Amino acid sequence: MGENRGVVVKNDLDPVIAAKLKRTPDGLVAAIVREHGSGDVLMLAWMDDEALHRTLTTGRATYWSRSRQEYWVKGATSGHYQFVRNVALDCDGDALLVTVEQVGAACHTGEHTCFHDELPVVTAS
């Protein structure tokens, strides 16, 4: 059992993987999600050790909802599932890259990606 955000949670994550993670003070690691076929960056979510364990062992993207304070499997209510193809840890251990087969929209707004609101950038010449 592990302590996370003041709540005792079951933690079955492989200790070798767990040792590589650099978590936020509340026990989370950023999960950048990209689409397997297109390479599109779909969303950013958060995982704790248990969410990562569930993702790795079920093949379904599972995250920790900071607003609801609960685990959620992407698509469980919307039908817009993410079937995991690959998970990679960055060199610092503080971010995950989750490559998925996306069914339907990734964003809760109905957009394909959560990154659809482009900001103006002045380019250097």
Side-chain angles (χ1 to χ4, degrees):
M1 294 259 188
E3 182 96 11
N4 193 8
R5 294 169 305 280
V7 177
V8 176
V9 295
K10 183 178 178 187
N11 183 0
D12 292 323
L13 184 62
D14 180 328
V16 173
I17 296 170
K20 294 178 181 181
L21 298 177
K22 189 183 300 177
R23 300 161 194 81
T24 64
D26 54 354
L28 301 174
V29 176
I32 302 161
V33 184
R34 75 171 169 189
E35 188 172 38
H36 173 69
S38 68
D40 290 347
V41 176
L42 299 176
M43 56 184 273
L44 170 73
W46 296 94
M47 291 184 176
D48 65 2
D49 288 20
E50 183 60 21
L52 179 56
H53 168 72
R54 292 179 190 189
T55 297
L56 294 172
T57 59
T58 67
R60 292 273 186 81
T62 304
Y63 306 108
W64 175 257
S65 171
R66 296 180 303 166
S67 61
R68 294 187 312 263
Q69 294 290 295
E70 65 184 13
Y71 295 104
W72 57 285
V73 176
K74 181 68 173 168
T77 56
S78 67
H80 297 173
Y81 290 100
Q82 291 178 342
F83 297 100
V84 178
R85 295 289 300 261
N86 181 278
V87 178
L89 183 62
D90 81 339
C91 60
D92 296 323
D94 61 359
L96 299 161
L97 179 60
V98 183
T99 304
V100 301
E101 293 286 345
Q102 178 68 48
V103 174
C107 187
H108 72 278
T109 65
E111 296 285 337
H112 173 67
T113 171
C114 292
F115 298 97
H116 57 272
D117 191 9
E118 291 193 30
L119 304 177
V121 176
V122 176
T123 57
S125 38

